[in-house]
């Protein structure tokens, strides 16, 4: 069991540098045991590259390292990053400015499930490393579907040794899924066109609408 001492927001709000370094300065341990982190980033990038000048929503954008990677390696016209940890957003804004893409993105503080997006929709939406902390996955996926025009990408952790270690180490709740539960969840939301990519820590799904 994970130790339910903090919310996911509280847990990650003080860990922006740590999380950013998984991508910017990966250790040998990261490269060996966090390979799924890099796979989900690559799958999302490939999906973004399928479309012409897409708008992108990065849910749980964290320190913005993924966001910047996607902007620098695609012709995405605009990316909105939303994260409930303001320390992450501050890091993301500085990182985007340093990498010369701040004119194509914006990072806001908020909970995706509660934040008013003012009827905005996006060509591609991504939730990488987010469903790990979401208790009501069905409602989350339904909202992603509602705000997405063309495709949305989600990473899903599986149960196993890595999940057991996370539950021991983390002080917030974490959740896991099976391939069947992921397919059943999409079916219950009437989402039929999904592709599943297997990683060493679970799966990445691409739900295409166009």
């Amino acid at each position: 069991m994970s130790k339910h001492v903090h919310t996911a927001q509280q847990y990650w709000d003080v860990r922006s540098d740590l999380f950013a370094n998984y991508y910017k300065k990966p250790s040998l341990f990261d490269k060996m045991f966090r390979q799924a982190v890099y796979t989900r980033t690559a799958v999302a990038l490939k999906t973004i590259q399928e479309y012409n000048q897409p708008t992108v929503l990065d849910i749980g954008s964290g320190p913005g390292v993924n966001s910047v990677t996607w902007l620098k390696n695609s012709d995405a016209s605009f990316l909105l990053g939303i994260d409930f940890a303001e320390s992450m957003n501050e890091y993301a804004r500085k990182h985007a400015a340093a990498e010369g893409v701040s004119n194509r993105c914006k990072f806001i503080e908020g909970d995706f499930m509660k934040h008013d997006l003012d009827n905005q929709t996006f060509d591609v939406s991504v939730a990488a490393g987010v469903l790990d902390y979401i208790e009501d996955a069905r409602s989350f996926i339904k909202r992603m579907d509602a705000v997405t025009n063309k495709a949305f990408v989600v990473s899903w952790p599986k149960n196993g040794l890595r999940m057991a270690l996370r539950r021991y180490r983390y002080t917030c709740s974490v959740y896991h899924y099976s391939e069947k539960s992921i397919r059943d969840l999409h079916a219950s939301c009437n989402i039929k066109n999904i592709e599943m990519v297997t990683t060493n820590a679970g799966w990445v799904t691409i739900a295409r609408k166009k």
Side-chain angles (χ1 to χ4, degrees):
M1 289 290 292
S2 50
K3 299 176 281 293
H4 308 274
V5 177
H6 302 108
T7 64
Q9 176 181 359
Q10 291 167 334
Y11 183 82
W12 286 112
D13 198 33
V14 295
R15 290 171 170 82
S16 53
D17 287 313
L18 172 67
F19 191 48
N21 284 336
Y22 288 163
Y23 300 93
K24 295 174 69 177
K25 300 176 183 178
S27 65
L28 180 60
F29 179 90
D30 293 332
K31 293 176 181 178
M32 291 178 63
F33 296 102
R34 293 194 172 101
Q35 194 175 52
V37 169
Y38 312 112
T39 300
R40 70 197 189 198
T41 301
V43 170
L45 174 60
K46 184 174 182 295
T47 304
I48 292 166
Q49 290 172 335
E50 292 177 11
Y51 303 100
N52 180 39
Q53 296 186 319
T55 54
V56 180
L57 175 63
D58 185 4
I59 304 163
S61 48
V65 180
N66 281 339
S67 303
V68 169
T69 295
W70 299 331
L71 287 168
K72 291 182 71 175
N73 291 280
S74 76
D75 66 351
S77 59
F78 176 74
L79 180 147
L80 177 68
I82 181 169
D83 198 285
F84 50 34
E86 182 54 22
S87 64
M88 294 283 190
N89 294 316
E90 291 174 2
Y91 192 110
R93 294 179 193 115
K94 292 176 183 177
H95 182 51
E99 295 296 324
V101 295
S102 58
N103 61 320
R104 294 163 59 203
C105 60
K106 180 180 180 181
F107 296 95
I108 61 173
E109 180 182 2
D111 181 338
F112 170 65
M113 292 301 295
K114 299 175 182 178
H115 190 81
D116 182 5
L117 292 171
D118 196 26
N119 296 316
Q120 279 183 283
T121 58
F122 302 84
D123 295 318
V124 179
S125 60
V126 184
V130 176
L131 270 290
D132 311 47
Y133 311 102
I134 302 299
E135 185 174 7
D136 185 357
R138 185 175 185 275
S139 294
F140 192 94
I141 292 303
K142 285 191 73 172
R143 182 150 207 238
M144 282 192 77
D145 184 39
V147 302
T148 304
N149 299 322
K150 297 179 179 178
F152 58 91
V153 180
V154 183
S155 66
W156 307 84
K158 67 180 179 181
N159 203 9
L161 177 59
R162 184 170 180 268
M163 179 57 69
L165 291 172
R166 293 174 79 196
R167 286 200 170 107
Y168 176 76
R169 291 171 45 236
Y170 286 19
T171 57
C172 63
S173 298
V174 289
Y175 303 91
H176 68 269
Y177 307 85
S178 66
E179 182 173 349
K180 182 179 185 303
S181 70
I182 295 167
R183 291 191 181 277
D184 288 348
L185 190 151
H186 283 79
S188 74
C189 298
N190 200 32
I191 300 167
K192 299 175 181 178
N193 184 12
I194 67 165
E195 176 185 348
M196 296 191 74
V197 177
T198 302
T199 73
N200 66 339
W203 302 269
V204 182
T205 56
I206 308 101
R208 291 185 178 83
K209 305 172 76 171
K210 292 183 181 180

